[in-house]
Amino acid sequence: MVTAGPWLDGLTEAQRAAVVHPATPLLVLAGPGSGKTRVITRRIAHLVAQGAAPWSILALTFTNKAAGEMKERVHAMLEAELAGARGLQVSTFHSFCATLLRRYGSSPAAAASDGTPLAPGFSIFDTDDARDAAKRAIAAAGFDTKNWPPALVLSRISDAKNKLLDAAAYAAEAGDFTSRSLAKIYRAYEAELAKCNAVDFDDLLLRVARLVKQDASVREELQQRYRHVLIDEYQDTNHAQFVIAGAIAQAHGSLTVVGDPDQSIYAWRGADITNILDFEQHFPGAGVIPLGQNFRSTAHIVAVADGLIRHNTRRKHKDLTTELEAGAMPQVIRALDERHEARVVVDEMVRQHEGGVPWKGMAALYRM
């Protein structure tokens, strides 16, 4: 067993513990600014140092930018210090699922709910394509886009797919007029996709989740290929992603998830916080390592954030700390209304600018 190497240099005690943890279920509770990307990339390097083939490692995240950064760091480290990273899979969930459907799309488990198979060379609809297909589906189902806006329809269908409900399954559960109406549109939407030999982004997850659940030969092949699974931003996973990751990792148990329920903000698009909160129930005996040291924010900011988030009830506790300077004391200003709020922000930026702070050194954050 290799116990030293450059991939272990410069790590905190908690980071090192996460990197060298055995190849068994592991939950890394990574607070903001705690170096989670470093932990994932170093853990991949450590697995390779222990003898794992790079092609047997699967690392999944949510954005192309995050996947690119992770891949770049890992490749640089493995090429420089170890045997190289040939075959290492670092990608987004959707990209990974698209690759699987290109390979296994002929399986009946990947077919549409009416049994229509996914033909080779299928297209992946982007947002505009999906909206146009939704408009046609609404009309085909006998409804009007004034009462059924395409954006609303696609949002409802997306919610259903994230819960692994295809058109037939959704129709079976539809109990009221609105749900039954949407079920008709959903069926028509599936027909539009089939007509174009296309899938949308949610289909990528839905069909692969069904694939790994229902097709034993595909599931076993993936389990044999990917002996180590690592997932970033685990608090943002939905049910379909939970099923995919769990099915691949269940045979060997080498599943590392990194995330923070305190930073879960995507419930509105299907993220299921129970995936991370109940990780130890899903994977009994899992290790849990908190990363609470913040390398990004000053002490006052960390203290305010820590004090505030402790009021959350659905969370896993970790102490947030930093070794950076105290910094400026955060201020909370209660505005009378949105216009007063905007005026306060502008006045403060002007004051800062007159005091020598350049405009490019300031940022105003707001919610739409």
Side-chain angles (χ1 to χ4, degrees), residues 236-276:
D236 293 334
T237 54
N238 59 32
H239 182 60
Q241 291 158 335
F242 167 80
V243 168
I244 294 167
I248 296 174
Q250 70 179 155
H252 46 72
S254 182
L255 174 63
T256 299
V257 303
V258 181
D260 182 6
D262 293 341
Q263 298 181 61
S264 178
I265 59 174
Y266 290 114
W268 58 273
R269 70 177 188 192
D272 186 352
I273 194 174
T274 61
N275 290 348
I276 191 168

Short mmCIF file of all heavy atoms in Angstrom, two decimals, residues 236-276:
data_model
loop_
_atom_site.label_atom_id
_atom_site.label_comp_id
_atom_site.label_asym_id
_atom_site.label_seq_id
_atom_site.Cartn_x
_atom_site.Cartn_y
_atom_site.Cartn_z
N ASP A 236 -26.89 18.10 -4.97
CA ASP A 236 -27.68 18.55 -6.11
C ASP A 236 -28.21 17.40 -6.97
O ASP A 236 -28.84 17.65 -8.00
CB ASP A 236 -26.86 19.49 -6.99
CG ASP A 236 -26.53 20.81 -6.29
OD1 ASP A 236 -27.30 21.20 -5.39
OD2 ASP A 236 -25.51 21.43 -6.63
N THR A 237 -27.95 16.16 -6.57
CA THR A 237 -28.42 15.02 -7.37
C THR A 237 -29.93 14.83 -7.22
O THR A 237 -30.50 15.10 -6.16
CB THR A 237 -27.72 13.72 -6.96
OG1 THR A 237 -27.86 13.52 -5.54
CG2 THR A 237 -26.25 13.76 -7.32
N ASN A 238 -30.56 14.37 -8.29
CA ASN A 238 -31.97 14.03 -8.22
C ASN A 238 -32.13 12.51 -8.09
O ASN A 238 -31.13 11.78 -7.98
CB ASN A 238 -32.73 14.58 -9.43
CG ASN A 238 -32.19 14.05 -10.76
OD1 ASN A 238 -31.71 12.92 -10.86
ND2 ASN A 238 -32.25 14.88 -11.79
N HIS A 239 -33.37 12.05 -8.14
CA HIS A 239 -33.61 10.61 -7.93
C HIS A 239 -32.98 9.78 -9.04
O HIS A 239 -32.40 8.72 -8.77
CB HIS A 239 -35.11 10.34 -7.84
CG HIS A 239 -35.43 8.90 -7.58
ND1 HIS A 239 -35.00 8.23 -6.45
CD2 HIS A 239 -36.13 7.98 -8.32
CE1 HIS A 239 -35.42 6.98 -6.48
NE2 HIS A 239 -36.10 6.81 -7.61
N ALA A 240 -33.09 10.23 -10.28
CA ALA A 240 -32.53 9.47 -11.40
C ALA A 240 -31.02 9.32 -11.25
O ALA A 240 -30.47 8.23 -11.45
CB ALA A 240 -32.87 10.16 -12.72
N GLN A 241 -30.34 10.39 -10.89
CA GLN A 241 -28.89 10.34 -10.71
C GLN A 241 -28.50 9.45 -9.54
O GLN A 241 -27.50 8.73 -9.59
CB GLN A 241 -28.36 11.76 -10.53
CG GLN A 241 -28.46 12.59 -11.80
CD GLN A 241 -28.45 14.07 -11.55
OE1 GLN A 241 -28.81 14.55 -10.48
NE2 GLN A 241 -28.06 14.84 -12.57
N PHE A 242 -29.31 9.49 -8.49
CA PHE A 242 -29.09 8.60 -7.34
C PHE A 242 -29.17 7.14 -7.77
O PHE A 242 -28.33 6.31 -7.38
CB PHE A 242 -30.13 8.91 -6.26
CG PHE A 242 -30.21 7.89 -5.16
CD1 PHE A 242 -29.29 7.89 -4.14
CD2 PHE A 242 -31.22 6.93 -5.16
CE1 PHE A 242 -29.35 6.94 -3.11
CE2 PHE A 242 -31.30 5.98 -4.15
CZ PHE A 242 -30.36 5.98 -3.12
N VAL A 243 -30.16 6.81 -8.57
CA VAL A 243 -30.34 5.43 -9.03
C VAL A 243 -29.17 4.99 -9.90
O VAL A 243 -28.64 3.88 -9.74
CB VAL A 243 -31.67 5.30 -9.83
CG1 VAL A 243 -31.73 3.96 -10.56
CG2 VAL A 243 -32.85 5.44 -8.88
N ILE A 244 -28.73 5.85 -10.81
CA ILE A 244 -27.62 5.51 -11.71
C ILE A 244 -26.34 5.24 -10.92
O ILE A 244 -25.68 4.21 -11.11
CB ILE A 244 -27.40 6.65 -12.72
CG1 ILE A 244 -28.60 6.77 -13.66
CG2 ILE A 244 -26.12 6.41 -13.53
CD1 ILE A 244 -28.63 8.05 -14.48
N ALA A 245 -25.99 6.17 -10.04
CA ALA A 245 -24.75 6.01 -9.27
C ALA A 245 -24.82 4.79 -8.36
O ALA A 245 -23.86 4.01 -8.25
CB ALA A 245 -24.50 7.26 -8.44
N GLY A 246 -25.95 4.61 -7.69
CA GLY A 246 -26.10 3.48 -6.77
C GLY A 246 -26.03 2.15 -7.48
O GLY A 246 -25.43 1.19 -6.96
N ALA A 247 -26.63 2.06 -8.67
CA ALA A 247 -26.63 0.79 -9.40
C ALA A 247 -25.22 0.39 -9.83
O ALA A 247 -24.85 -0.78 -9.78
CB ALA A 247 -27.54 0.90 -10.63
N ILE A 248 -24.43 1.38 -10.25
CA ILE A 248 -23.06 1.07 -10.69
C ILE A 248 -22.17 0.72 -9.50
O ILE A 248 -21.34 -0.19 -9.58
CB ILE A 248 -22.46 2.26 -11.46
CG1 ILE A 248 -23.26 2.51 -12.75
CG2 ILE A 248 -20.99 2.02 -11.80
CD1 ILE A 248 -22.83 3.75 -13.51
N ALA A 249 -22.36 1.41 -8.39
CA ALA A 249 -21.47 1.22 -7.24
C ALA A 249 -21.87 0.08 -6.31
O ALA A 249 -21.08 -0.34 -5.47
CB ALA A 249 -21.39 2.52 -6.44
N GLN A 250 -23.10 -0.44 -6.44
CA GLN A 250 -23.59 -1.40 -5.45
C GLN A 250 -22.78 -2.69 -5.42
O GLN A 250 -22.70 -3.36 -4.38
CB GLN A 250 -25.07 -1.70 -5.70
CG GLN A 250 -25.34 -2.51 -6.95
CD GLN A 250 -26.82 -2.81 -7.12
OE1 GLN A 250 -27.29 -3.03 -8.24
NE2 GLN A 250 -27.58 -2.79 -6.05
N ALA A 251 -22.16 -3.06 -6.53
CA ALA A 251 -21.44 -4.33 -6.58
C ALA A 251 -20.13 -4.29 -5.80
O ALA A 251 -19.71 -5.28 -5.22
CB ALA A 251 -21.18 -4.73 -8.03
N HIS A 252 -19.47 -3.14 -5.79
CA HIS A 252 -18.15 -3.04 -5.16
C HIS A 252 -18.12 -2.08 -3.97
O HIS A 252 -17.23 -2.16 -3.12
CB HIS A 252 -17.10 -2.60 -6.17
CG HIS A 252 -17.52 -1.45 -7.03
ND1 HIS A 252 -17.63 -0.17 -6.55
CD2 HIS A 252 -17.86 -1.39 -8.34
CE1 HIS A 252 -18.02 0.63 -7.53
NE2 HIS A 252 -18.17 -0.09 -8.63
N GLY A 253 -19.05 -1.14 -3.90
CA GLY A 253 -19.14 -0.25 -2.74
C GLY A 253 -18.15 0.89 -2.72
O GLY A 253 -18.12 1.68 -1.77
N SER A 254 -17.32 1.02 -3.76
CA SER A 254 -16.35 2.11 -3.78
C SER A 254 -17.03 3.35 -4.35
O SER A 254 -16.87 3.69 -5.52
CB SER A 254 -15.12 1.75 -4.61
OG SER A 254 -14.18 2.81 -4.59
N LEU A 255 -17.80 4.04 -3.49
CA LEU A 255 -18.54 5.23 -3.88
C LEU A 255 -18.14 6.39 -2.97
O LEU A 255 -18.33 6.31 -1.75
CB LEU A 255 -20.04 4.98 -3.78
CG LEU A 255 -20.95 6.19 -4.02
CD1 LEU A 255 -20.79 6.72 -5.45
CD2 LEU A 255 -22.40 5.83 -3.73
N THR A 256 -17.59 7.43 -3.55
CA THR A 256 -17.22 8.63 -2.81
C THR A 256 -18.10 9.77 -3.28
O THR A 256 -18.12 10.09 -4.47
CB THR A 256 -15.74 9.00 -3.04
OG1 THR A 256 -14.90 7.94 -2.59
CG2 THR A 256 -15.39 10.28 -2.28
N VAL A 257 -18.84 10.36 -2.35
CA VAL A 257 -19.67 11.51 -2.71
C VAL A 257 -19.21 12.72 -1.90
O VAL A 257 -18.89 12.60 -0.71
CB VAL A 257 -21.18 11.23 -2.47
CG1 VAL A 257 -21.61 10.01 -3.27
CG2 VAL A 257 -21.50 11.05 -1.01
N VAL A 258 -19.16 13.85 -2.56
CA VAL A 258 -18.72 15.09 -1.94
C VAL A 258 -19.82 16.12 -2.08
O VAL A 258 -20.34 16.34 -3.18
CB VAL A 258 -17.42 15.62 -2.59
CG1 VAL A 258 -16.97 16.90 -1.91
CG2 VAL A 258 -16.33 14.56 -2.54
N GLY A 259 -20.20 16.73 -0.99
CA GLY A 259 -21.27 17.72 -1.07
C GLY A 259 -21.56 18.33 0.28
O GLY A 259 -20.87 18.06 1.27
N ASP A 260 -22.59 19.16 0.31
CA ASP A 260 -22.93 19.88 1.53
C ASP A 260 -24.42 20.20 1.51
O ASP A 260 -24.85 21.01 0.69
CB ASP A 260 -22.11 21.17 1.61
CG ASP A 260 -22.38 21.97 2.89
OD1 ASP A 260 -23.10 21.47 3.76
OD2 ASP A 260 -21.85 23.09 2.99
N PRO A 261 -25.22 19.57 2.38
CA PRO A 261 -26.65 19.88 2.38
C PRO A 261 -26.95 21.34 2.67
O PRO A 261 -28.00 21.85 2.28
CB PRO A 261 -27.22 18.96 3.47
CG PRO A 261 -26.03 18.53 4.28
CD PRO A 261 -24.87 18.53 3.35
N ASP A 262 -26.02 22.04 3.32
CA ASP A 262 -26.22 23.46 3.58
C ASP A 262 -26.18 24.29 2.30
O ASP A 262 -26.63 25.45 2.29
CB ASP A 262 -25.14 23.99 4.54
CG ASP A 262 -25.27 23.40 5.93
OD1 ASP A 262 -26.36 22.89 6.26
OD2 ASP A 262 -24.29 23.45 6.69
N GLN A 263 -25.64 23.72 1.24
CA GLN A 263 -25.55 24.44 -0.04
C GLN A 263 -26.52 23.89 -1.08
O GLN A 263 -26.36 24.12 -2.27
CB GLN A 263 -24.12 24.35 -0.58
CG GLN A 263 -23.08 24.99 0.33
CD GLN A 263 -21.67 24.91 -0.25
OE1 GLN A 263 -21.38 25.44 -1.32
NE2 GLN A 263 -20.78 24.24 0.47
N SER A 264 -27.54 23.19 -0.62
CA SER A 264 -28.53 22.64 -1.54
C SER A 264 -29.54 23.71 -1.92
O SER A 264 -30.36 24.12 -1.10
CB SER A 264 -29.25 21.45 -0.88
OG SER A 264 -30.24 20.93 -1.73
N ILE A 265 -29.50 24.16 -3.16
CA ILE A 265 -30.37 25.25 -3.60
C ILE A 265 -31.14 24.91 -4.87
O ILE A 265 -31.78 25.77 -5.47
CB ILE A 265 -29.57 26.55 -3.84
CG1 ILE A 265 -28.50 26.33 -4.91
CG2 ILE A 265 -28.94 27.05 -2.55
CD1 ILE A 265 -27.76 27.59 -5.33
N TYR A 266 -31.09 23.64 -5.30
CA TYR A 266 -31.70 23.28 -6.58
C TYR A 266 -32.89 22.35 -6.45
O TYR A 266 -33.19 21.59 -7.38
CB TYR A 266 -30.64 22.67 -7.51
CG TYR A 266 -29.63 23.67 -7.99
CD1 TYR A 266 -28.29 23.59 -7.61
CD2 TYR A 266 -30.01 24.72 -8.81
CE1 TYR A 266 -27.36 24.52 -8.05
CE2 TYR A 266 -29.09 25.67 -9.25
CZ TYR A 266 -27.77 25.55 -8.86
OH TYR A 266 -26.87 26.48 -9.29
N ALA A 267 -33.60 22.41 -5.34
CA ALA A 267 -34.81 21.58 -5.19
C ALA A 267 -35.82 21.92 -6.27
O ALA A 267 -36.57 21.06 -6.74
CB ALA A 267 -35.41 21.78 -3.81
N TRP A 268 -35.82 23.17 -6.71
CA TRP A 268 -36.79 23.62 -7.73
C TRP A 268 -36.58 22.94 -9.07
O TRP A 268 -37.49 22.89 -9.91
CB TRP A 268 -36.71 25.14 -7.91
CG TRP A 268 -35.35 25.63 -8.29
CD1 TRP A 268 -34.33 25.96 -7.46
CD2 TRP A 268 -34.85 25.85 -9.62
NE1 TRP A 268 -33.22 26.37 -8.16
CE2 TRP A 268 -33.51 26.32 -9.50
CE3 TRP A 268 -35.40 25.71 -10.89
CZ2 TRP A 268 -32.72 26.62 -10.60
CZ3 TRP A 268 -34.61 26.02 -11.99
CH2 TRP A 268 -33.29 26.47 -11.84
N ARG A 269 -35.39 22.35 -9.30
CA ARG A 269 -35.18 21.63 -10.56
C ARG A 269 -34.96 20.13 -10.32
O ARG A 269 -34.39 19.44 -11.16
CB ARG A 269 -34.02 22.23 -11.35
CG ARG A 269 -32.65 22.01 -10.75
CD ARG A 269 -31.57 22.61 -11.68
NE ARG A 269 -30.24 22.26 -11.24
CZ ARG A 269 -29.13 22.81 -11.69
NH1 ARG A 269 -29.21 23.77 -12.60
NH2 ARG A 269 -27.95 22.43 -11.25
N GLY A 270 -35.45 19.66 -9.18
CA GLY A 270 -35.47 18.22 -8.96
C GLY A 270 -34.45 17.67 -8.00
O GLY A 270 -34.47 16.47 -7.69
N ALA A 271 -33.52 18.49 -7.50
CA ALA A 271 -32.52 17.98 -6.56
C ALA A 271 -33.21 17.46 -5.30
O ALA A 271 -34.13 18.07 -4.78
CB ALA A 271 -31.52 19.08 -6.20
N ASP A 272 -32.75 16.31 -4.84
CA ASP A 272 -33.34 15.65 -3.67
C ASP A 272 -32.32 15.62 -2.54
O ASP A 272 -31.39 14.83 -2.54
CB ASP A 272 -33.77 14.23 -4.03
CG ASP A 272 -34.53 13.53 -2.91
OD1 ASP A 272 -34.60 14.10 -1.80
OD2 ASP A 272 -35.05 12.43 -3.15
N ILE A 273 -32.52 16.50 -1.55
CA ILE A 273 -31.55 16.64 -0.47
C ILE A 273 -31.43 15.37 0.37
O ILE A 273 -30.42 15.13 1.02
CB ILE A 273 -31.90 17.86 0.42
CG1 ILE A 273 -30.71 18.22 1.32
CG2 ILE A 273 -33.14 17.58 1.25
CD1 ILE A 273 -30.93 19.49 2.11
N THR A 274 -32.46 14.51 0.33
CA THR A 274 -32.39 13.27 1.12
C THR A 274 -31.30 12.33 0.60
O THR A 274 -30.84 11.45 1.33
CB THR A 274 -33.74 12.54 1.13
OG1 THR A 274 -34.10 12.17 -0.19
CG2 THR A 274 -34.83 13.42 1.74
N ASN A 275 -30.89 12.50 -0.66
CA ASN A 275 -29.81 11.66 -1.17
C ASN A 275 -28.55 11.79 -0.31
O ASN A 275 -27.87 10.80 -0.04
CB ASN A 275 -29.48 12.05 -2.62
CG ASN A 275 -30.56 11.67 -3.59
OD1 ASN A 275 -31.48 10.93 -3.26
ND2 ASN A 275 -30.48 12.19 -4.80
N ILE A 276 -28.24 13.02 0.11
CA ILE A 276 -27.06 13.23 0.93
C ILE A 276 -27.37 13.08 2.42
O ILE A 276 -26.56 12.53 3.18
CB ILE A 276 -26.40 14.60 0.64
CG1 ILE A 276 -25.02 14.70 1.30
CG2 ILE A 276 -27.29 15.76 1.05
CD1 ILE A 276 -24.20 15.89 0.83
#
